[in-house]
Amino acid sequence: MVSGTERPASWWLPRAVVALRVRVFEKVNGDRVVTLPNSVHGPEVFERVYAHPAANGRSAGAGLSDLFWYWLAPGPEVHQEHLEPGERYDEVAATTRRILAGASAGLAETAGRAVAEALDALPGTRVSLVRLRDLMMPAWAAFAYELVFRRPCPPHARDLITAHADDVITALKCTGLRHPRRRDRLTAYLRERVAAGDVPHRLPDSLSPAEQAHYLQGTFFNTAVVQLSEASAHVLLALARHPRVQARLSADPDDERYLSHVIDETLRLYPLFGIAHRITTGEIPLDDTTVLPAGSVVCFSYPDYQATGHERSDAFDPDRWSDPAAGRDRYIPFGVAANRPCPAWRVSPIVLRVAVREVLHRFRLDSTASHTRSNPHRAPCLLIPRGLSPGRRRLAAMRRFVRLRDGVEDVTRGVRQLLLGTLMVLHARRLRPAARYFEEPRTGSCPVAHHKESNG
């Protein structure tokens, strides 16, 4: 998810700043890179290459890996999505599947309870202006905790997880520098819990106790929390910006079919992954005359791929999914089955439906903020309690404020993303966490001690 490479929506952001930021993030990939689909090789080539057995390298040999490892520290060397293929990856992936396994009703009940608790903190007698991602993240922190520990999440643990996940996604989007000490607090907590035998799941035997803590931190309290927070923020913001869709769903929130269409359309238009990269371990033909050599870095662009095969692809239209043929259109919200699909492909739709229903049961949503795939503004939104009728003038003034603030923030945020993103790219290239790890494979842990850096 290379959110920092995307162009902001505001046309008035200085073009030179945008172009320079894009150039900085492209440069880190080096010269052995192809992005699919492109003007020459379309979505069919994207599908074929993504599913090719030789497109299985994950971290070794890509300059982009240094940047991801830098962002995802601590413990990126045992993060499930960054392990190289082999026995260790297979064991880790099997553990993740076991932890995520469970009856749909039980998962829904756990998610509903966590979301309800987060919403209980909002007043029921006045309009609230919130950032949807910030609102939902503590709920998904509590949900992930209960998946891992099989018990309710205490407030202290929820706060540690939320602070960690927020720091990771803020750095990924280049809206702020990373704070390793903040992340290390969660690491210390998890190491204590692992050492005390408090995890009721069998953790991978190939990982040391410290690595087991990092595995839990990266897979569940980083990726799972971040992606569920992003997904729910996108769905709710889409509803806030499309009142007719929201009204139809609110009239019958138990209409599972239409709710699924809304979620599918949101994840099609605003995919959670921007770029997924793989390193080729053998030759892969692109066409009759072009072959990718081993060691090439292939960047798979989800937004470009999912924009193909759909009429009016830039329009938000949940009804497009009413056509059974839509299921055959190009849509891979959780990756492709042949190449490490997201392990939460079954869980996420279940709990997202629960979260949306819980919010709509309590609030009407309204937002004049922009909506882009990278969602760097954390989805500003007005939450209007059901049964409350705010004055038209007051509501109009609040809507103008949201629009104005979003426009101003878009400019300042774009410049900040350029500056902070450049700093982090340069720092990651100097530290070379992934490259150094694979140069010293017998160390058993990432050689870069990120905690020595207080802000970057």
Side-chain angles (χ1 to χ4, degrees), residues 79-155:
H79 191 293
Q80 181 170 327
E81 289 307 304
H82 293 273
L83 284 169
E84 297 303 299
E87 293 182 1
R88 181 179 246 200
Y89 167 77
D90 293 339
E91 185 186 19
V92 167
T95 302
T96 301
R97 289 193 296 270
R98 288 198 305 271
I99 295 176
L100 292 175
S104 297
L107 292 168
E109 192 275 333
T110 301
R113 187 172 62 251
V115 173
E117 183 177 348
L119 298 180
D120 285 343
L122 295 174
T125 57
R126 60 178 174 82
V127 179
S128 296
L129 174 55
V130 302
R131 308 269 185 173
L132 291 169
R133 194 185 84 199
D134 297 347
L135 173 67
M136 300 303 297
M137 189 170 283
W140 297 124
F143 173 74
Y145 180 98
E146 195 156 341
L147 283 180
V148 171
F149 292 104
R150 300 299 188 203
R151 64 183 66 179
C153 180

Side-chain angles (χ1 to χ4, degrees), residues 367-370 396 398-408:
S367 183
T368 51
S370 59
M398 295 181 74
R399 299 181 82 246
R400 286 195 298 271
F401 171 76
V402 172
R403 181 185 296 111
L404 177 62
R405 187 180 68 173
D406 181 51
V408 173

Side-chain angles (χ1 to χ4, degrees), residues 35-47:
T35 300
L36 298 175
N38 56 43
S39 59
V40 177
H41 302 104
E44 295 81 7
V45 177
F46 173 104
E47 295 165 356

Side-chain angles (χ1 to χ4, degrees), residues 359-373:
V359 173
L360 290 182
H361 175 71
R362 301 185 186 212
F363 301 100
R364 177 167 66 88
L365 297 88
D366 189 295
S367 183
T368 51
S370 59
H371 194 175
T372 62
R373 192 212 66 81

Side-chain angles (χ1 to χ4, degrees), residues 74 164 183 186-187 190 213-223:
H164 164 75
R183 304 182 186 193
L186 178 59
T187 305
L190 293 174
H214 281 150
Y215 154 69
L216 294 174
Q217 184 167 354
T219 300
F220 293 96
F221 303 129
N222 173 352
T223 299

